[in-house]
Amino acid sequence: MALSITNLSKQYSNQKTALSNFSIQINKGILGLLGPNGAGKSTLMKLIATISKPTGGSLLLDDTDIVQHPDAIRKVLGYLPQDFGVYPNLNAYEFLEYIAAMKGVGGPGLRKRIDILLEGVNLTADAKRPIGTYSGGMKQRIGIAQALLNDPKVLIFDEPTVGLDPEERMRFRQLIADLAQDCVIILSSHIVSDIETIADEVAIMQGGKLITKDYQQDIINQA
Ligand code: ADP
Ligand code: ADP
């Protein structure tokens, strides 16, 4: 699947222009969005996830306009928002069951799928403990697992490595590399070293604009 983003703009109701004539073509592989806080990364991701509507420009998934037809992306989308909230009294297994029900993911394979996902984010041993007792990194890993429930073809991770320790980061990189085999992945960070080791291509954003998408060390070092 490919995303064609053309002159995409978002002006919030407070007049703030968060995204300005943003254009990019996203094919297979991993695109990293790099930029300081307020650059427009979350805004762009919300527009692609159809959580929010653009005020200008177009967003195509293959040939389908997803502003007009959001279901076209929603059914193939996995999304980890930045302000991902969890339910402290549920354990990891119950939480994934709940999200699966909300997404309409079910059937006889669900238990197995949840087990595989928990294994993939290294939470099998803690799956019966309430999420409220988890560390920040464990909560983030549960957030990664919920994004994968529906076997997505487009994955959007907003600041996925926040709260992960070096070991968790290494595992995350491996997981992402595996998923990228048959998935378009977009992930954001304000940390250069996070993005440069994971992404195939890096788009640097600032002030709602795309500064460059050339992977050049000297440019990244300035970001
Ligand atoms: P939209 O135009 O997409 O509906 P709104 O401007 O109505 O967006 O704002 C959506 C929500 O985000 C509101 O609840 C608002 O309070 C909140 N919000 C407002 N300003 C900011 C900001 N600077 N950063 C993050 N969230 C904000
Ligand atoms: P980033 O993810 O790169 O930190 P954001 O997309 O969250 O950037 O924010 C881009 C700009 O838009 C910021 O100036 C932010 O304050 C503003 N903004 C984000 N969300 C809202 C909102 N819901 N309402 C109004 N302004 C917003």
Side-chain angles (χ1 to χ4, degrees):
M1 304 199 113
L3 275 164
S4 308
I5 300 175
T6 311
N7 292 327
L8 199 66
S9 296
K10 175 68 178 181
Q11 185 164 29
Y12 286 106
S13 43
N14 64 356
Q15 302 297 311
K16 177 94 204 173
T17 301
L19 198 68
S20 177
N21 287 310
F22 188 98
S23 300
I24 200 167
Q25 182 77 28
I26 306 169
N27 299 308
K28 238 175 151 53
I30 306 168
L31 173 71
L33 299 177
L34 180 66
N37 283 329
K41 306 183 297 292
S42 292
T43 296
L44 174 63
M45 292 178 140
K46 284 181 193 165
L47 294 176
I48 299 170
T50 68
I51 304 297
S52 171
K53 276 194 179 235
T55 43
S58 75
L59 258 171
L60 302 183
L61 179 66
D62 295 332
D63 293 324
T64 306
D65 178 338
I66 59 168
V67 179
Q68 299 302 322
H69 306 282
D71 283 347
I73 191 158
R74 285 178 191 168
K75 60 183 187 225
V76 296
L77 178 75
Y79 177 46
L80 174 64
Q82 194 172 13
D83 50 4
F84 176 71
V86 290
Y87 295 71
N89 297 322
L90 298 182
N91 68 39
Y93 194 91
E94 291 164 340
F95 176 69
L96 291 180
E97 277 186 321
Y98 169 73
I99 297 292
M102 296 228 306
K103 286 189 170 183
V105 178
L110 183 62
R111 292 186 80 95
K112 178 100 182 116
R113 175 134 194 89
I114 291 178
D115 285 338
I116 291 170
L117 287 173
L118 287 169
E119 187 64 42
V121 295
N122 199 24
L123 282 177
T124 304
D126 299 287
K128 298 282 156 63
R129 274 211 285 139
I131 295 172
T133 66
Y134 282 15
S135 69
M138 291 166 83
K139 284 181 187 157
Q140 194 68 342
R141 284 187 269 140
I142 249 300
I144 292 164
Q146 64 77 32
L148 302 176
L149 267 170
N150 57 337
D151 197 13
K153 295 292 166 223
V154 179
L155 257 181
I156 299 181
F157 285 145
D158 201 346
E159 299 269 3
T161 58
V162 166
L164 300 187
D165 65 29
E167 156 99 34
E168 290 174 322
R169 271 162 209 259
M170 204 186 65
R171 278 179 156 266
F172 177 71
R173 269 203 290 278
Q174 188 55 54
L175 179 68
I176 287 290
D178 291 345
L179 291 167
Q181 302 299 320
D182 64 345
C183 216
V184 173
I185 303 179
I186 305 167
L187 47 88
S188 70
S189 182
H190 59 280
I191 303 167
V192 176
S193 59
D194 266 6
I195 290 284
E196 66 180 355
T197 48
I198 300 179
D200 299 316
E201 191 171 39
V202 177
I204 298 177
M205 295 178 69
Q206 194 158 26
K209 293 198 166 77
L210 177 65
I211 304 296
T212 177
K213 70 178 184 70
D214 294 326
Y215 187 85
Q216 285 177 5
Q217 200 59 45
D218 52 335
I219 294 171
I220 288 175
N221 286 339
Q222 288 164 24

